[in-house]
């Protein structure tokens, strides 16, 4: 009888310990702050979930427009390690950079630099300004990239080249970086660069 009571208590203690390990905040909880060495744990779904918890791309663009109301956006980058948006812009005389912490939604830094005389007067603005209307969501571009290359998403950038706006999604597999360019309006893959 004593052996049976001891076995029952041991089994009950083991169940309590197992239950404690599986509660929220335990080791099974998703890390909303992706780290470079997290490997395949950083899936597109997890990235989407963590991005939805913080400032959106639309709110970041709105913030840029509030800080630099006369500027057009020329590039936008999200870095998964630093958890920052880096937004670049331009007007007829200057170029601008605004960095926003995705988690706290605080401004990290801002810079302004005068354009060279060759690029002033709207010349550079005409070549590089991005129309931010009608863009697919970054999470959609990341998922499209993950459908082609399964690895840890390190960053994505919204860029314009040859009158085409696209997301360049950088994915790491075994310390090799791969780039997938996804059309920012249609969601179609433009190019895959597998290093």
């Amino acid at each position: 009888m004593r052996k049976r009571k001891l076995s029952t208590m041991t089994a009950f203690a083991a169940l309590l310990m197992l239950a404690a390990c599986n509660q929220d905040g335990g080791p099974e909880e998703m890390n909303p702050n992706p780290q470079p060495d997290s490997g395949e744990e950083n899936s597109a779904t997890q990235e989407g979930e963590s991005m939805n918890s913080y400032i959106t791309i639309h709110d970041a663009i709105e913030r840029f427009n509030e800080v630099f109301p006369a500027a057009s956006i020329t590039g936008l980058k999200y870095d998964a390690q630093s958890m920052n948006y880096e937004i670049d812009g331009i007007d007829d005389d200057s170029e601008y950079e605004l960095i926003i912490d995705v988690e706290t939604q605080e401004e990290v830094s801002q810079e302004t630099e005068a354009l060279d005389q060759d690029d002033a007067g709207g010349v550079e603005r005409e070549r590089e300004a991005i129309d931010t209307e009608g863009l697919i969501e970054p999470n959609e571009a990341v998922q499209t990239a993950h459908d082609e290359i399964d690895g840890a998403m390190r960053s994505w950038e919204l860029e314009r080249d040859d009158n085409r706006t696209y997301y360049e999604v950088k994915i790491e597999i075994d310390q090799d970086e791969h780039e997938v360019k996804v059309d920012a309006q249609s969601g179609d893959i433009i190019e895959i660069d597998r290093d």
Side-chain angles (χ1 to χ4, degrees):
M1 177 78 167
R2 183 174 163 97
K3 256 186 172 180
R4 188 172 181 191
K5 189 174 184 180
L6 184 59
S7 294
T8 304
M9 288 177 60
T10 304
F12 183 69
L15 285 173
L16 283 175
M17 288 175 53
L18 184 60
C21 287
N22 286 328
Q23 288 181 355
D24 287 342
E28 301 301 319
E29 186 177 11
M30 181 190 77
N31 181 0
N33 189 5
Q35 299 298 316
D37 59 354
S38 63
E40 293 185 358
E41 292 176 4
N42 187 12
S43 70
T45 303
Q46 289 173 335
E47 191 60 40
E49 289 170 0
S50 68
M51 288 299 297
N52 289 336
S53 303
Y54 305 118
I55 189 170
T56 68
I57 184 176
H58 304 291
D59 290 339
I61 289 170
E62 188 176 310
R63 179 84 55 85
F64 179 88
N65 290 334
E66 289 169 2
V67 175
F68 304 113
S72 299
I73 291 177
T74 58
L76 194 151
K77 177 180 180 179
Y78 167 72
D79 185 301
Q81 183 175 3
S82 67
M83 296 286 288
N84 286 334
Y85 280 127
E86 179 182 312
I87 308 170
D88 297 317
I90 196 168
D91 63 18
D92 291 347
D93 302 311
S94 302
E95 54 188 354
Y96 307 95
E97 179 184 84
L98 178 67
I99 299 178
I100 301 171
D101 184 294
V102 175
E103 185 175 15
T104 66
Q105 303 184 25
E106 298 292 323
E107 183 180 308
V108 175
S109 69
Q110 65 172 272
E111 292 181 23
T112 302
E113 185 177 317
L115 290 170
D116 296 337
Q117 197 166 11
D118 294 342
D119 297 328
V123 174
E124 190 76 6
R125 184 181 204 170
E126 180 67 29
R127 273 194 307 256
E128 295 189 14
I130 293 174
D131 181 5
T132 58
E133 297 297 317
L135 300 176
I136 65 169
E137 293 294 323
N139 291 341
E140 186 178 334
V142 170
Q143 183 60 54
T144 299
H146 269 286
D147 290 345
E148 295 297 320
I149 300 174
D150 188 26
M153 193 278 294
R154 294 296 167 230
S155 66
W156 57 256
E157 294 182 47
L158 180 65
E159 300 179 344
R160 179 180 170 202
D161 190 30
D162 293 329
N163 292 323
R164 188 174 208 178
T165 303
Y166 59 89
Y167 289 98
E168 183 177 86
V169 182
K170 294 184 180 176
I171 298 175
E172 187 177 303
I173 303 174
D174 298 327
Q175 299 183 4
D176 289 329
E177 189 172 87
H178 307 277
E179 296 174 358
V180 181
K181 291 183 181 177
V182 179
D183 188 286
Q185 269 87 27
S186 70
D188 296 333
I189 293 177
I190 299 169
E191 179 182 350
I192 299 174
D193 181 12
R194 299 176 193 262
D195 287 342

